Amino acid sequence: MKLSASARVLVTGAAGFLGSHLCDALLAEGCSVIGVDNLCTGKAVNLRHLAGEPRFELMQQDICQHFDPGPVDYVFNFASPASPVDYMDLGLETLRVGSDGTRNALDVALQYGAAFLQASTSECYGDPKVHPQPEDYWGNVNPVGPRSVYDEAKRFSEALTMAYHRYRKVDTRIVRIFNTYGPRLQSRDGRVISNLMTQALRGEDLTIYGDGTQTRSFCYVSDEVDGILRLARSGEHWPVNIGNPEEWTILECAQQVLAATQSSSKIRFEPLPVDDPVQRRPDITRARRLLGWEPKIHLNQGLELSLPYFRQCVDRGELARPVEGTALPASLTRPEAATD
Ligand code: UDP
């Protein structure tokens, strides 16, 4: 099943950061879009500009419950808390949406003969021992640590997606999404770019967890969505990394934020969260070869493009969300003794 301009497309998690940008891109291609979201972490404001768009409708619905959107040609399963502070606050909900929610979304695809694309994550690689991470690396995930509610939910989603492909012949895709940023990333999201941009614009200290030498690779949202749509149109069933291979330490990222915002904020070091991956960078050989995809927007350009959005957030009085908000006490997040 190919993604055609006349397709009727279901997007779960439509009110989220990535889901809402995906809806925009699908509508721009001529598709009709049914968005589904329970507004648990997604925000209706992300879809406000689509009010009155006849090819778009939003169902407020938890995909962990059975649901029927009617006939669809393609299902994009993007529903899940995705930021560490959110998924650690909503641990059980995150596990449930990765299991029951993914199964319900796959059942919609099965029922209507639709193609299916699962939003997966670089977190499947955990704290990776192979660098950069190719898709055939199985990862180094702590299955009982605080991040496991997300990592294992997404790994289970991948397993379920491959099983529906193998046993039910559903035409599936899996995208492993690396850190993505841009407008609509909530200032309260708790992720590094939203926290640092918000703090810099408010003239507050930038919170760096650990010594800031851990690395991430940041992909601007339009590049990410372009890669996802290319994968959707391809015939590839194996996972494909979509992320920007430019790798930055978190300290370098903070310097880029200070330059983009022309802020004189200072840096404040805070404790590193448990199981925070030391390094992360996608190997995008497969995406280049199969999809002809390559990100175009460098971090400094993407931060400039995001600046007006974060200024609006700050003008509305929105705050960053430091990691202290995590609900679990230390005794539940830290093992008594490290084991290998
Ligand atoms: N981080 C930080 N300050 C913040 C938020 C995050 O130093 O205010 C660090 C975090 O510990 C991690 C990296 O930035 O090492 C990326 O964190 P994020 O939550 O954005 O995503 P992750 O890649 O960990 O899922």
Side-chain angles (χ1 to χ4, degrees):
M1 167 85 54
K2 288 278 159 32
L3 186 63
S4 68
S6 58
R8 191 161 186 265
V9 181
L10 174 71
V11 177
T12 75
F17 164 57
L18 263 179
S20 65
H21 281 283
L22 183 61
C23 290
D24 288 346
L26 289 164
L27 289 165
E29 299 229 339
C31 303
S32 298
V33 177
I34 307 158
V36 175
D37 207 299
N38 68 352
L39 303 181
C40 159
T41 55
K43 295 279 175 271
V45 68
N46 287 339
L47 299 170
R48 196 170 49 191
H49 60 289
L50 297 179
E53 165 56 66
R55 285 181 292 114
F56 180 76
E57 66 184 278
L58 179 67
M59 287 169 73
Q60 191 169 337
Q61 161 80 41
D62 182 353
I63 66 161
C64 298
Q65 312 295 332
H66 171 78
F67 69 104
D68 184 354
V72 289
D73 303 301
Y74 220 111
V75 176
F76 288 80
N77 190 33
F78 277 62
S80 176
S83 148
V85 292
D86 280 338
Y87 64 67
M88 287 192 263
D89 275 355
L90 299 166
L92 295 177
E93 292 84 349
T94 303
L95 282 163
R96 186 138 190 252
V97 76
S99 49
D100 293 347
T102 299
R103 185 170 45 77
N104 285 334
L106 279 159
D107 280 339
V108 169
L110 180 64
Q111 181 182 354
Y112 291 112
F116 179 91
L117 187 144
Q118 173 62 34
S120 187
T121 169
S122 55
E123 283 285 326
C124 287
Y125 303 121
D127 189 8
K129 301 295 180 206
V130 170
H131 193 71
Q133 294 83 55
E135 292 86 346
D136 55 8
Y137 175 50
W138 293 350
N140 177 42
V141 169
N142 175 354
V144 294
R147 294 175 86 106
S148 64
V149 291
Y150 184 66
D151 301 5
E152 297 294 14
K154 287 292 187 182
R155 287 164 69 100
F156 182 78
S157 291
E158 289 198 4
L160 202 56
T161 300
M162 289 307 292
Y164 268 66
H165 178 62
R166 291 191 176 108
Y167 299 112
R168 300 275 188 269
K169 311 291 175 231
V170 177
D171 183 13
T172 59
R173 320 274 182 277
I174 296 172
V175 57
R176 291 198 182 133
I177 297 167
F178 285 63
N179 298 60
T180 304
Y181 69 101
R184 299 188 203 150
L185 189 62
Q186 291 170 52
S187 42
R188 295 288 295 156
D189 185 83
R191 274 182 274 200
V192 67
I193 299 263
S194 47
N195 271 0
L196 299 189
M197 288 292 275
T198 306
Q199 290 160 340
L201 289 170
R202 290 175 58 85
E204 296 169 349
D205 289 353
L206 307 193
T207 51
I208 299 261
Y209 306 154
D211 62 6
T213 57
Q214 71 272 33
T215 67
R216 294 294 186 273
S217 303
F218 299 102
C219 192
Y220 189 67
V221 64
S222 58
D223 280 336
E224 187 69 44
V225 170
D226 176 40
I228 291 167
L229 289 184
R230 284 173 189 246
L231 175 61
R233 286 190 218 100
S234 79
E236 181 60 31
H237 301 301
W238 294 104
V240 179
N241 290 338
I242 299 289
N244 191 320
E246 280 182 356
E247 184 180 1
W248 302 85
T249 68
I250 296 305
L251 262 178
E252 288 169 338
C253 172
Q255 298 302 339
Q256 293 286 316
V257 166
L258 289 175
T261 53
Q262 300 184 320
S263 166
S264 52
S265 285
K266 302 280 175 288
I267 282 172
R268 192 173 79 232
F269 292 93
E270 302 274 352
L272 189 68
V274 177
D275 291 340
D276 198 284
V278 171
Q279 54 184 0
R280 182 181 293 158
R281 175 184 173 189
D283 179 332
I284 61 164
T285 308
R286 191 177 284 180
R288 280 195 181 107
R289 181 169 48 80
L290 293 176
L291 314 177
W293 178 80
E294 185 100 41
K296 298 186 183 72
I297 299 190
H298 298 288
L299 182 57
N300 61 335
Q301 297 169 309
L303 292 175
E304 290 288 346
L305 290 169
S306 311
L307 195 54
Y309 164 77
F310 283 109
R311 267 198 219 289
Q312 283 172 11
C313 294
V314 167
D315 288 347
R316 283 196 297 265
E318 294 180 17
L319 304 172
R321 183 163 164 216
V323 80
E324 294 93 80
T326 302
L328 297 179
S331 59
L332 288 182
T333 57
R334 285 175 200 283
E336 281 169 18
T339 51
D340 206 20

